[in-house]
Amino acid sequence: FRQRMQIVVGAERKAHDIIMLPLGDTIVGTAMDVAAIATAQGELERQIMAYDRTLDHVATGVAMFDKDQQLKFHNEAFARLWPLDDEWLGSSPTASNVLDRLRERSLLPETPNYREWKSRILSANIAGAEFEDWWLLPDGRIIHVRAEQQPDNGVTFIFSDESEKLALESRYNALINVQRETLDSLKEGVAVFAMDGRLKLHN
């Protein structure tokens, strides 16, 4: 018999590991004070819960997989980015299963060799090297993907939807090009200086 129980010792209630073993016709038992361990475990669990709550408030999708490549945590941004069934995600699918499910729903980039492409992504879990890639999805979204190995040999995937940012950059660059072409069409010499006095545009 082995079980952690709360025992009153003196006037204090403390956690003890109770172990009972048969020894011939008798039973030998011991109670080990593990209050310090129980307190540390409780504090660790509280910190993990606080960390998880913090990740739920960021706009970047985060998915954490353990050393067996099973999903152990994902934040709300991940669930919004990839519309997968909550119950299925709660069943701790492997990273390979998640990629396969996304592919079934046409939510991954088109690749000539899916097996090789998937193997390269999953190797981040084994190699320990950081993985970084850009995914152009069939629905037009552009996703920046990073993977980092965790101390327990698991891996964390970070997904950022950069579609709007890149679209704004593209429009800004197009506007600058139009301004430049307009200035170049003038006969007069034009120089545009920024607020800090540095030359920004000239024809």
Side-chain angles (χ1 to χ4, degrees):
F1 173 86
R2 180 174 189 139
Q3 187 173 329
R4 182 161 296 179
M5 301 172 69
Q6 295 290 328
I7 295 178
V8 177
V9 178
E12 286 188 87
R13 191 178 190 83
K14 292 184 177 182
H16 285 71
D17 276 349
I18 309 299
I19 301 171
M20 308 288 280
L21 296 170
L23 186 62
D25 295 334
T26 62
I27 295 175
V28 177
T30 182
M32 292 182 288
D33 186 343
V34 291
I37 295 172
T39 301
Q41 285 177 337
E43 183 59 33
L44 179 60
E45 287 172 7
R46 282 191 293 276
Q47 287 183 5
I48 290 172
M49 287 174 67
Y51 179 64
D52 290 351
R53 283 195 301 273
T54 301
L55 287 177
D56 274 333
H57 289 90
V58 300
T60 304
V62 178
M64 296 180 178
F65 295 86
D66 62 20
K67 60 184 176 63
D68 298 318
Q69 297 194 1
Q70 288 189 301
L71 182 65
K72 65 178 183 180
F73 171 81
H74 69 280
N75 66 352
E76 290 180 10
F78 176 86
R80 286 193 301 271
L81 188 65
W82 309 114
L84 298 171
D85 182 59
D86 286 339
E87 190 175 335
W88 183 77
L89 288 172
S91 68
S92 301
T94 64
S96 177
N97 293 148
V98 171
L99 289 174
D100 289 343
R101 183 64 65 95
L102 291 173
R103 184 175 184 236
E104 288 169 11
R105 300 192 175 185
S106 300
L107 292 170
L108 288 181
E110 294 295 333
T111 55
N113 189 333
Y114 171 70
R115 185 173 291 182
E116 185 180 307
W117 179 84
K118 182 172 82 167
S119 177
R120 184 171 61 88
I121 293 169
L122 297 179
S123 66
N125 194 290
I126 302 163
E130 285 190 14
F131 169 85
E132 187 171 6
D133 200 5
W134 290 87
W135 294 357
L136 177 58
L137 305 186
D139 60 10
R141 289 181 297 167
I142 300 170
I143 307 296
H144 181 221
V145 185
R146 288 179 56 209
E148 296 178 0
Q149 193 169 34
Q150 299 170 2
D152 62 355
N153 292 325
V155 66
T156 298
F157 283 92
I158 302 167
F159 302 91
S160 305
D161 188 347
E162 302 289 348
S163 312
E164 188 175 345
K165 177 186 171 186
L166 293 173
L168 285 171
E169 285 181 6
S170 177
R171 287 198 291 271
Y172 173 78
N173 291 333
L175 180 61
I176 292 295
N177 290 334
V178 168
Q179 286 179 338
R180 192 180 302 279
E181 288 173 14
T182 303
L183 290 176
D184 286 342
S185 69
L186 298 175
K187 292 180 182 178
E188 297 81 11
V190 177
V192 179
F193 293 87
M195 293 292 287
D196 60 2
R198 294 181 182 275
L199 182 65
K200 188 176 180 184
L201 284 174
H202 69 281
N203 65 349

